[in-house]
Amino acid sequence: MKKIYAIAALGLLLYSCSSNQNTGENTDTADAVTATASSFDEPHRPQFHFTPPSGWMNDPNGMVYYKGEYHLFYQHNPDSTVWGPMHWGHAVSNDMVHWKHLPIALYPDSLGMIFSGSAVVDISNTSGLGTKVNPAMVAIFTYHNAEQERVGKNDFQTQGIAFSLDNGRSWTKYKNNPVLKNPGIRDFRDPKVSWYEAGQKWIMTLAVKDHISFYSSKNLLDWKLESDFGADVGAHGGVWECPDLFKLKVNGTNEEKWVLLVNINPGAPNGGSGTQYFIGSFDGNRFVMDPRFEAGLNAKPAIATAVNGQEGIWLDYGRDEYAGVTWANVPDSDGRRLFMGWMSNWNYANVVPTEKWRSAMTVARTLELENTPAGLRVVSQPVQELQNIYGDSYTFKEQAVSDTLTLSGNVPFTSSTFDLQLDLERLSPDGQFAVELSNNQNQKVLIGYDAARGQYYIDRRKASSNSFSDNFAGIHYAPRLATDDSFPVRLLVDVASVEFFADGGKTVMTDIFFPDEVFTKIRLIADKGQLRLTSGIIHDLKSIYASAEQK
Ligand code: FRU
């Protein structure tokens, strides 16, 4: 990233000269972009994942629910399909599936580009930026001052805020930005702010080079350092970025735990960027790991955690989930912890073969805490709202599978966008399987279980020529935490991606691919030992652009 930040410094200079947005105020009233099939049907354009209409996108930012809308802001370079001067793009949704694109929310200004961050609704008007009747939506983000970086300063990343009094439609930068200055550390960014009810204060979880710093504030404007966490635990193959901190109940118990998500780049188990996490307690001052979780983290070899020798416990072991964080302000009556990540990897994000836009987000997912044979873990599942785009469905009858079973072709199912759910039972200890997605050019992706390794995998070596990057083709592995003979697996396949939820979401992998023709053939391959398909269903997932009208 350092390299591209430097290139972007030049880009920002050029940009600033031609832009009039340095006042820090955005009163853009341009109409929302209407997404129609005709404008969203380019090669490789995902049909049910969020993508920007055009230009570059990376991290999801400022995810907040307010008045019936899920807001999704995102790192955005509107003028190019490569990373550059960062803005916050903006979209809203009623169901986290259909999105309405809104005008850019935050533009770079004289303090810097607008890097990643979060948003809250200041219900009690602690900041005084709104009123109790009309609370402010407050965005807390990192200013990255490329000019200061260029001249060799270390304190070029600071935290700023902006607020909106009209449901995120227009934004005003706070006049006394930055609200948190930099103590002289080059990597000091990605504030995730949440309300800590027990202490009646805001907590900012900040990524600081190789650790997390927790700050607190009564008013979102004045921040005080509480503590640091993590310099000596977890994965440290790269810089820590985009953290999140939230409370979850352990399924089936009344126990509450705190989950700390820490994105890291590079250093993920399959290379490049990834999301690791820690489970523990938080008292408004300090995060302390749960001893049971810590034992699993430190065990060498860690029980079902080490992939390719990499330490850490990961939310998603695929190569293409990064910078994932959760929505703020989801009502208690809903009660879900809702997550979304960027579906790419810094190893090759800038060169993937799309022309008009670059990158998609994952589907929205729920996060829950579960006791697994490997210890306490976060399990992820796609949100149930995905059913809003279910088309035709086909069920597969119970049967033994000893070679291959065609799941498309002999059933009238030809879609390249689907939700495939299979319950498989292993009939011998060396039983293994793969779901193969392929096209007429014999390009393919395999998603399966390797019995010898005891690991799940995605193999995209033959997905296409993969010629855009030397770092793209490969097989990616993930631990299996369950130990029994039943393998419930679920695959969400879009034009250019697969999200793989195994064992009820205990193991998750996300990978992207760029075949020359979409994958419409689906086969279940069961070699080495028999396998029984106990039940199975495939749902066509309809394009979210099927109708110009957003739900
Ligand atoms: C993560 C990241 C963040 C930073 C942003 C810049 O992908 O590097 O740390 O704020 O992207 O676009």
Side-chain angles (χ1 to χ4, degrees):
M1 278 296 281
K2 250 181 221 152
K3 261 184 245 142
I4 54 177
Y5 286 166
I7 297 168
L10 178 63
L12 183 64
L13 281 177
L14 297 174
Y15 173 85
S16 306
C17 300
S18 64
S19 156
N20 207 12
Q21 299 290 348
N22 287 343
T23 53
E25 205 158 324
N26 167 26
T27 48
D28 197 342
T29 52
D31 283 344
V33 178
T34 308
T36 61
S38 61
S39 61
F40 284 76
D41 61 354
E42 308 91 343
H44 309 304
R45 175 76 87 169
Q47 291 301 300
F48 66 89
H49 286 87
F50 179 82
T51 49
S54 61
W56 164 269
M57 175 177 82
N58 56 293
D59 317 353
N61 293 152
M63 297 195 299
V64 63
Y65 177 87
Y66 192 45
K67 293 190 177 163
E69 291 180 325
Y70 294 92
H71 291 261
L72 171 62
F73 301 88
Y74 53 92
Q75 287 287 277
H76 186 39
N77 182 5
D79 299 321
S80 164
T81 49
V82 294
W83 191 89
M86 283 293 107
H87 303 56
W88 274 26
H90 188 197
V92 288
S93 172
N94 301 328
D95 62 359
M96 296 171 283
V97 178
H98 298 86
W99 294 95
K100 187 193 279 176
H101 294 282
L102 294 177
I104 288 172
L106 298 174
Y107 287 78
D109 62 48
S110 58
L111 294 179
M113 309 184 220
I114 314 297
F115 270 22
S116 287
S118 51
V120 296
V121 181
D122 186 10
I123 303 284
S124 309
N125 197 27
T126 61
S127 62
L129 295 171
T131 60
K132 280 195 181 162
V133 176
N134 186 26
M137 184 183 284
V138 181
I140 309 98
F141 53 85
T142 297
Y143 269 122
H144 178 100
N145 191 319
E147 178 56 20
Q148 296 286 303
E149 181 188 24
R150 198 181 59 78
V151 301
K153 295 265 177 58
N154 285 329
D155 59 355
F156 51 86
Q157 293 186 340
T158 56
Q159 319 315 320
I161 68 177
F163 61 98
S164 168
L165 299 175
D166 56 0
N167 306 328
R169 273 23 182 214
S170 67
W171 288 86
T172 306
K173 305 242 180 68
Y174 176 55
K175 59 180 190 309
N176 292 329
N177 273 337
V179 292
L180 179 59
K181 296 211 174 86
N182 184 312
I185 305 172
R186 293 178 63 87
D187 297 293
F188 187 74
R189 59 177 176 269
D190 308 340
K192 181 72 161 82
V193 173
S194 56
W195 178 247
Y196 182 69
E197 182 64 27
Q200 293 291 296
K201 60 184 180 182
W202 299 98
I203 295 293
M204 178 194 290
T205 307
L206 193 71
V208 182
K209 196 170 128 188
D210 61 350
H211 64 271
I212 297 301
S213 289
F214 297 104
Y215 289 82
S216 69
S217 172
K218 289 280 181 197
N219 58 8
L220 293 168
L221 310 174
D222 307 299
W223 293 93
K224 161 178 158 236
L225 179 64
E226 293 281 347
S227 67
D228 293 337
F229 169 82
D232 51 0
V233 292
H236 280 281
V239 175
W240 283 20
E241 300 183 317
C242 300
D244 197 355
L245 176 72
F246 50 87
K247 212 166 39 175
L248 275 182
K249 223 175 219 165
V250 181
N251 281 349
T253 76
N254 278 329
E255 197 182 4
E256 281 191 323
K257 289 278 149 207
W258 288 79
V259 177
L260 177 63
L261 301 184
V262 177
N263 287 277
I264 171 172
N265 175 56
N270 287 293
S273 334
T275 307
Q276 64 178 324
Y277 66 87
F278 304 89
I279 298 174
S281 58
F282 182 73
D283 63 0
N285 162 244
R286 201 166 282 282
F287 178 86
V288 178
M289 262 195 290
D290 182 296
R292 291 168 295 167
F293 180 83
E294 194 172 0
L297 190 63
N298 293 338
K300 290 198 175 39
I303 167 162
T305 57
V307 171
N308 299 328
Q310 284 281 1
E311 286 184 33
I313 292 180
W314 303 81
L315 199 76
D316 187 316
Y317 281 82
R319 286 200 80 191
D320 296 300
E321 183 287 302
Y322 191 56
V325 288
T326 66
W327 259 281
N329 208 40
V330 175
D332 289 345
S333 55
D334 179 311
R336 291 178 297 175
R337 184 47 59 173
L338 298 165
F339 168 94
M340 185 175 264
W342 175 44
M343 202 155 56
S344 196
N345 188 313
W346 282 116
N347 275 174
Y348 41 74
N350 277 282
V351 297
V352 296
T354 58
E355 274 166 26
K356 188 174 157 194
W357 87 100
R358 271 217 180 90
S359 300
M361 296 300 181
T362 66
V363 291
R365 303 172 181 175
T366 56
L367 303 185
E368 296 184 7
L369 270 187
E370 219 169 281
N371 270 310
T372 76
L376 209 50
R377 289 289 189 279
V378 177
V379 298
S380 316
Q381 295 273 17
V383 292
Q384 81 213 10
E385 285 87 339
L386 211 58
Q387 294 175 9
N388 292 351
I389 50 166
Y390 274 2
D392 293 340
S393 303
Y394 300 93
T395 50
F396 305 107
K397 63 174 193 306
E398 182 176 356
Q399 57 195 294
V401 187
S402 50
D403 184 9
T404 63
L405 175 68
T406 302
L407 300 180
S408 69
N410 65 349
V411 294
F413 192 87
T414 52
S415 177
S416 58
T417 56
F418 54 84
D419 178 350
L420 172 67
Q421 301 174 21
L422 301 175
D423 285 317
L424 299 166
E425 196 190 336
R426 171 171 68 182
L427 301 178
S428 74
D430 61 347
Q432 57 182 23
F433 62 87
V435 174
E436 180 196 76
L437 313 173
S438 65
N439 61 18
N440 290 322
Q441 304 186 25
N442 207 23
Q443 296 173 326
K444 57 181 153 194
V445 168
L446 294 156
I447 302 103
Y449 176 69
D450 179 326
R453 297 177 71 119
Q455 292 181 336
Y456 290 106
Y457 67 90
I458 300 180
D459 178 355
R460 66 177 179 194
R461 287 174 301 175
K462 299 206 170 106
S464 69
S465 68
N466 294 322
S467 56
F468 51 90
S469 165
D470 291 343
N471 215 337
F472 188 81
I475 309 189
H476 312 132
Y477 291 99
R480 177 166 199 246
L481 307 188
T483 47
D484 54 2
D485 289 328
S486 60
F487 290 75
V489 294
R490 182 168 180 190
L491 277 71
L492 298 183
V493 176
D494 203 342
V495 171
S497 62
V498 60
E499 286 157 282
F500 179 32
F501 301 86
D503 301 313
K506 293 190 185 73
T507 298
V508 181
M509 301 185 82
T510 302
D511 264 24
I512 56 174
F513 40 72
F514 300 92
D516 296 312
E517 195 181 282
V518 288
F519 294 137
T520 52
K521 298 188 204 175
I522 317 162
R523 295 197 305 164
L524 174 63
I525 304 171
D527 56 13
K528 297 211 192 128
Q530 254 201 352
L531 207 75
R532 172 163 286 276
L533 175 63
T534 43
S535 68
I537 189 161
I538 189 165
H539 302 280
D540 177 22
L541 290 174
K542 290 184 286 187
S543 168
I544 56 174
Y545 310 115
S547 135
E549 201 159 311
Q550 306 284 308
K551 287 211 176 145

